[in-house]
Amino acid sequence: MGVSIEQEVRGEDPPNNINLGNIKTPPRNITSREKSAVQLSSPTPSSVTLNDSNNINKDENIDKEKHARRPKDVAITQQRMKSWQPLLDSRYVIVIYLIIGVVFLIVGFAIRKKSDAIIELIKVYETHTTDMNGLTQEKFDPTSDMEFVTGCEIGDNPNFMYKQNKTCQIQFQVPFNRGDLQPPVLVHYQVNNFFQNYRVYQTSYDMGQLLGKMTQDMVSAALCAPLNTIKNDQGEEIKINPCGLIANTLFNDVFTLESVVGPDGLPIEGAVMNETGIAWQSDLKWKYRQPEGFIAEQCFSLEECSCEGSEWSCIEPYQAPDGTYYRYFYPEDDTTQYLYETYPMVVSPIDGVLNEHFVVWMRTAALPNFRKLYGYIDAVIPAGSVLTFNVQANWAVERSQSAKALVVSDNYIFGGKNHWLGTMFIVVGAISAILGIFFFVIQAIYPRKLGDRKYLKYKED
């Protein structure tokens, strides 16, 4: 091994272990080009330090980027949480099925007993259905007291269906052998074979209108068609507010509780029908508003309640059931038919779309046979009492081949009479109990030890 060019240029002494006698190549002069090449190829200490630090920083950045999304070193993110996975031995499975069966059977029979104890009185006062849709005594609940009454039929009169005003009376007698009607005593109207669940029917409303807006976009107008406008008595076309099928098919039969007479022949005090508090409070708060610009003012007397002037749209003051008078203003009243004008027998001009019967009707039913709450009596009605309702029939059912009935009932923790809830508990409990007994018999006849090696089978070579 000889002396390198770099050592020769620097003038360094050769290493001790180099045998100079073996160098056969004579010395030669180093050119300037070779000197430059040697200087460039020899790293300085500063350059070595800079390059090393750059490499270190680069490695650190790579490590940071690589582990930037690494979860924290805690048990929940590193999946080190303690867990328990049971081994479902046949004994456990049998016990679980039997427990579920016993519990569900007990709960199911208890619910069914409570439901059967509910007193339910039904009076069908007009029907035009072909198969009665479950209203016949054979198909209906045998624990319910149902009767057909006559004298309330209005038939098919589409030109005056909103203002028919056919009046009649319906009487209910609480059975002597079923106990008292406990408060709150619920008063429902029942409609059969009326399909509120059609998609076209359910979407036929303008949410902006119900929230008080006076303007209507093209989409909402298309949804409300054809009940967007109507011709008035002069043949002029005016707007309907609210528009759509739901709002303009409102159930507008009117029920009034005339009297509740006890079994001793004396009227029961405090037995009045309340028609407030029947709608969802969330609906009243968030889904309905009177039209923008609506004004109502309470007056102390009829003389002080004048509707004269452009600031009021009323023709005469409105007298509330409690005897107070109101004057009011509806915007664009000359070119718009509002809800209180379409259904004056149900909706007052002060309530408008906030009328609770209207709000209840607007929450459409999922099935063609349904009930909707009309009111409630917050008093105990003894067995043998007679309830008398005055009915003002306005809602035609002949064309739709529907039926309508008035229902009086009490309730329990799960609502009104409903056999299906208890029946479903009984069915599930019976299935679980049968499966538990079946597995117990199998285990008793053909016992099998968990993890028994004799059941292991290996593939043949």
Side-chain angles (χ1 to χ4, degrees), residues 171-202:
Q171 286 189 338
F172 297 89
Q173 184 173 20
V174 182
F176 285 95
N177 59 346
R178 300 291 301 277
D180 301 340
L181 279 171
Q182 299 297 327
V185 179
L186 306 180
V187 179
H188 291 85
Y189 60 87
Q190 177 174 317
V191 178
N192 286 61
N193 200 39
F194 188 83
F195 293 82
Q196 279 195 316
N197 54 2
Y198 278 10
R199 183 184 62 84
V200 175
Y201 185 91
Q202 285 189 328

Side-chain angles (χ1 to χ4, degrees), residues 2 5 14 36 61 100 111 114-115 150 171-172 203 205 223 233 295 303 317-318 332 339 367 398 439 449:
I5 297 175
S36 300
N61 292 334
I100 292 175
I111 294 176
K114 286 287 187 180
S115 178
T150 58
Q171 286 189 338
F172 297 89
T203 58
Y205 66 93
L223 290 175
D233 296 337
I295 301 173
E303 291 75 15
Y318 168 74
E332 303 178 14
L339 188 65
L367 300 175
E398 186 174 353
F439 291 146
K449 183 181 178 182

Side-chain angles (χ1 to χ4, degrees), residues 230-231 238-242 333 335-339 341-342:
I230 193 173
K231 289 186 178 181
I238 59 176
K239 296 183 293 183
I240 302 176
N241 188 339
D333 187 58
T335 58
T336 305
Q337 178 171 302
Y338 288 98
L339 188 65
E341 296 173 303
T342 307

Side-chain angles (χ1 to χ4, degrees), residues 267-430:
I268 298 176
E269 296 182 0
V272 296
M273 183 170 65
N274 301 307
E275 299 180 30
T276 58
I278 60 175
W280 290 20
Q281 294 303 308
S282 58
D283 288 354
L284 293 171
K285 184 177 181 180
W286 300 109
K287 295 178 66 175
Y288 300 93
R289 296 284 188 278
Q290 284 284 61
E292 295 175 350
F294 168 78
I295 301 173
E297 182 180 277
Q298 182 178 354
C299 307
F300 295 101
S301 63
L302 178 61
E303 291 75 15
E304 298 178 2
C305 215
S306 174
C307 290
E308 296 180 357
S310 58
E311 66 271 19
W312 307 109
S313 63
C314 55
I315 299 176
E316 58 183 13
Y318 168 74
Q319 185 178 8
D322 60 358
T324 58
Y325 291 91
Y326 294 87
R327 53 183 176 181
Y328 53 87
F329 172 78
Y330 276 87
E332 303 178 14
D333 187 58
D334 296 336
T335 58
T336 305
Q337 178 171 302
Y338 288 98
L339 188 65
Y340 78 94
E341 296 173 303
T342 307
Y343 301 103
M345 70 293 294
V346 178
V347 181
S348 73
I350 307 305
D351 293 337
V353 295
L354 295 175
N355 179 273
E356 295 199 39
H357 294 300
F358 174 75
V359 174
V360 169
W361 178 259
M362 290 296 291
R363 185 166 285 277
T364 55
L367 300 175
N369 305 331
F370 57 88
R371 293 177 182 176
K372 292 183 182 291
L373 186 62
Y374 192 88
Y376 61 93
I377 304 170
D378 200 8
V380 178
I381 301 178
S385 300
V386 177
L387 296 85
T388 303
F389 289 88
N390 292 326
V391 180
Q392 180 185 344
N394 302 290
W395 205 65
V397 293
E398 186 174 353
R399 279 195 170 186
S400 60
Q401 295 185 348
S402 304
K404 53 186 181 179
L406 186 62
V407 183
V408 176
S409 68
D410 53 5
N411 61 94
Y412 71 126
I413 188 173
F414 293 110
K417 183 184 287 291
N418 183 4
H419 292 318
W420 284 107
L421 182 59
T423 302
M424 291 305 298
F425 269 88
I426 294 172
V427 169
V428 173

Side-chain angles (χ1 to χ4, degrees), residues 11-133:
E12 297 177 355
D13 296 332
N16 296 329
N17 60 351
I18 296 178
N19 188 1
L20 297 178
N22 295 332
I23 300 175
K24 297 179 180 181
T25 304
R28 61 185 180 88
N29 296 326
I30 305 303
T31 64
S32 59
R33 179 178 296 178
E34 290 175 342
K35 290 181 179 180
S36 300
V38 170
Q39 292 176 357
L40 292 174
S41 62
S42 300
T44 62
S46 61
S47 63
V48 171
T49 305
L50 182 61
N51 290 335
D52 291 343
S53 62
N54 289 337
N55 292 334
I56 293 172
N57 294 333
K58 185 176 182 181
D59 293 339
E60 290 179 353
N61 292 334
I62 292 175
D63 290 340
K64 289 181 179 180
E65 293 176 359
K66 183 178 180 181
H67 304 298
R69 302 181 64 182
R70 173 180 290 180
K72 294 181 179 180
D73 188 17
V74 294
I76 189 170
T77 58
Q78 296 297 331
Q79 299 185 8
R80 296 195 299 265
M81 298 289 292
K82 294 181 180 180
S83 62
W84 176 69
Q85 184 175 359
L87 295 176
L88 295 179
D89 186 277
S90 57
R91 295 171 298 177
Y92 297 141
V93 173
I94 292 170
V95 171
I96 290 172
Y97 271 114
L98 291 177
I99 291 175
I100 292 175
V102 171
V103 172
F104 271 61
L105 285 173
I106 293 174
V107 174
F109 281 111
I111 294 176
R112 186 63 187 264
K113 183 179 179 180
K114 286 287 187 180
S115 178
D116 291 340
I118 289 179
I119 302 173
E120 189 175 71
L121 311 174
I122 304 173
K123 299 286 186 180
V124 182
Y125 61 95
E126 185 172 6
T127 176
H128 296 278
T129 58
T130 54
D131 59 356
M132 302 304 290
N133 291 284

Side-chain angles (χ1 to χ4, degrees), residues 203-204 216-226 228:
T203 58
S204 183
Q216 188 179 53
D217 54 47
M218 295 179 61
V219 175
S220 300
L223 290 175
C224 281
N228 249 326

